[in-house]
Amino acid sequence: EDQVTQSPEALRLQEGESSSLNCSYTVSGLRGLFWYRQDPGKGPEFLFTLYSAGEEKEKERLKATLTKKESFLHITAPKPEDSATYLCAVQAGTGGGNKLTFGTGTQLKVEL
Amino acid sequence: GAVVSQHPSRVICKSGTSVKIECRSLDFQATTMFWYRQFPKQSLMLMATSNEGSKATYEQGVEKDKFLINHASLTLSTLTVTSAHPEDSSFYICSARIPGRQETQYFGPGTRLLVL
């Protein structure tokens, strides 16, 4: 069974204090790993898709990296508007169809 | 990114009534849409995959007679919660993929259902 574990559950940062969020996964043949941002009461907003170990993608203050066992979402010099829950999901390449398996997320709060 | 809308955004209903939630892809055609449910402090759980012109595929443990899915056009899928009960209260979110655009799913804004 595909599993996704995110850590920490919650993270509080000062504005400008860089950090990383972790997503560990076990999956039968990874088809893709996805990062989303979710604000309270809203649907997830797409951030990145990673397909193979060693791949990296960047968008503004965010950078996602992927290994064979985990992915990191690095946040550089965060701002209060980066406060949200960050979700990681995997899609299996073997018999998984289109199913995304999500982690429970990391709730990030960035304070002034 | 792709735009997916949902309607209504919030609904309150009495126990025993049925509620219909619409999911639309606004700037692309989606042959496949997905319905998720999210309880507080929990991850999104896939309920079913909605296929245009054919029957939906339900995940294990999801009652297909309770959660009716209709994907009548390439831009619209509906989820009907039949005979809703308080335990059906949750956040329902749909998603869709852009055909040919690899695997990324784009999510709607969600529908908050409260059953009294």
Side-chain angles (χ1 to χ4, degrees), chain B residues 52-108:
Chain B
E52 190 267 336
S54 65
K55 291 184 178 180
T57 305
Y58 290 81
E59 294 299 303
Q60 193 171 11
V62 178
E63 299 175 57
K64 61 181 181 181
D65 294 330
K66 181 167 184 63
F67 298 99
L68 301 179
I69 291 173
N70 184 14
H71 194 151
S73 78
L74 288 171
T75 59
L76 173 64
S77 175
T78 61
L79 169 69
T80 301
V81 183
T82 62
S83 187
H85 291 285
E87 56 266 30
D88 298 323
S89 299
S90 187
F91 193 49
Y92 292 85
I93 316 173
C94 70
S95 72
R97 290 188 311 168
I98 299 176
R101 190 78 70 85
Q102 298 181 314
E103 308 297 337
T104 302
Q105 292 183 22
Y106 295 90
F107 285 83

Side-chain angles (χ1 to χ4, degrees), chain A:
Chain A
E1 186 179 326
D2 303 334
Q3 285 194 321
V4 178
T5 303
Q6 291 187 247
S7 62
E9 284 188 20
L11 180 62
R12 184 170 290 193
L13 299 174
Q14 296 295 312
E15 183 176 15
E17 179 186 2
S18 301
S19 187
S20 296
L21 313 183
N22 177 263
C23 171
S24 297
Y25 65 91
T26 55
V27 66
S28 305
L30 181 69
R31 184 185 290 185
L33 184 141
F34 307 85
W35 282 99
Y36 290 88
R37 168 193 171 127
Q38 186 175 28
D39 292 302
K42 302 286 181 61
E45 175 189 342
F46 171 71
L47 294 175
F48 303 109
T49 305
L50 301 168
Y51 293 100
S52 57
E55 189 175 359
E56 298 183 352
K57 288 193 177 173
E58 284 188 72
K59 179 182 177 181
E60 296 180 354
R61 295 178 292 281
L62 301 177
K63 179 180 177 180
T65 62
L66 180 65
T67 72
K68 290 186 177 179
K69 295 182 179 180
E70 58 191 349
S71 177
F72 291 94
L73 184 66
H74 307 278
I75 303 177
T76 302
K79 298 182 178 182
E81 52 262 41
D82 294 322
S83 298
T85 296
Y86 290 85
L87 300 172
C88 172
V90 296
Q91 185 174 19
T94 306
N98 298 302
K99 181 178 180 177
L100 290 184
T101 300
F102 279 86
T104 52
T106 293
Q107 190 172 1
L108 173 66
K109 184 167 178 60
V110 182
E111 300 172 329
L112 290 170

